[in-house]
Amino acid sequence: ITAISAKQKWLTEKPTEAIIGLIDLVRERWKNDPALDAYRNNGLNFLLEWCEPNRLRTLLDTALNGKRAHLDSFQVRSDIPGSSLRALPRGIVAHWLSGNVPLLGMFALLQSIVTKNVNMLKVSADESQALPALLQCFSGLTYKTPGGYELSGDELLKTIAVVYFDRHQQDIANTFSSSADVRIMWGGREAVESVSQLA
């Protein structure tokens, strides 16, 4: 929690286009990585299409009323003269991932990354190894914008913590939950209700 919190400011200062560009580089790796072959027909092919750069830009524009530039700096408002707005990240996003749908959590994680939030992912006991394989593809990559700005995949990985703890470890679960500014849960009704009752 302390380590990823320390990276929040770093991530907030990164240009949105650099983040999208880095995700596109990773996407190219995902297309060819043999470690991911088992997931190609179980959601990976859809993920590859879904996180294409123009789709991510459209997603952001839809969420931000056509102004994804709000993520990078204050933008002048047209409705109130002399006023401007900026979209800021929420902070720490805690994800509870479901073991039976291994790639589903990546959709929420990528949206969280591109909106400059740091992330903690609690994996299930039957984690399929899809998530570690997908994240490992960020390692060693560097994206350079046309303007010369560089974003390192290794540094971006420092904004993500993947953890496991038993569902009966209530103190750890409460600490994990109460440290979050946003909580995202995947799973059946019982699992979601259980997480919803945490601090």
Side-chain angles (χ1 to χ4, degrees), residues 147-166:
Y149 188 92
E150 291 188 0
L151 180 60
S152 160
D154 292 314
E155 288 300 310
L156 184 70
L157 285 173
K158 293 177 185 175
T159 70
I160 303 166
V162 180
V163 300
Y164 170 75
F165 51 86
D166 187 89

Side-chain angles (χ1 to χ4, degrees), residues 26-37 40 48:
V26 171
R27 189 174 149 261
E28 291 302 316
R29 264 196 186 170
W30 290 343
K31 285 180 184 177
N32 303 309
D33 190 336
L36 297 171
D37 285 348
R40 300 214 177 275
L48 291 170

Side-chain angles (χ1 to χ4, degrees), residues 99-162:
N100 63 344
V101 197
L103 298 182
L104 195 56
M106 280 305 294
F107 293 91
L109 175 61
L110 290 172
Q111 288 179 75
S112 184
I113 291 170
V114 84
T115 53
K116 306 182 184 184
N117 293 284
V118 295
N119 295 274
M120 302 186 300
L121 298 100
K122 192 266 184 203
V123 295
S124 68
D126 54 349
E127 164 61 39
S128 68
Q129 297 307 303
L131 183 66
L134 288 165
L135 291 177
Q136 179 60 35
C137 290
F138 280 92
S139 184
L141 286 180
T142 299
Y143 176 76
K144 189 171 185 177
T145 67
Y149 188 92
E150 291 188 0
L151 180 60
S152 160
D154 292 314
E155 288 300 310
L156 184 70
L157 285 173
K158 293 177 185 175
T159 70
I160 303 166
V162 180

Side-chain angles (χ1 to χ4, degrees), residues 22-87:
L22 182 61
I23 291 171
D24 192 37
L25 286 182
V26 171
R27 189 174 149 261
E28 291 302 316
R29 264 196 186 170
W30 290 343
K31 285 180 184 177
N32 303 309
D33 190 336
L36 297 171
D37 285 348
Y39 309 107
R40 300 214 177 275
N41 295 319
N42 293 315
L44 181 59
N45 289 336
F46 180 71
L47 179 65
L48 291 170
E49 290 178 28
W50 181 87
C51 63
E52 186 273 328
N54 285 328
R55 287 180 185 248
L56 289 179
R57 291 182 189 108
T58 299
L59 183 70
L60 289 172
D61 281 337
T62 300
L64 295 166
N65 297 319
K67 299 194 184 253
R68 68 179 176 274
H70 282 299
L71 289 166
D72 293 332
S73 62
F74 281 96
Q75 301 293 312
V76 175
R77 293 179 64 169
S78 57
D79 57 336
I80 303 176
S83 179
S84 59
L85 285 174
R86 181 165 184 190

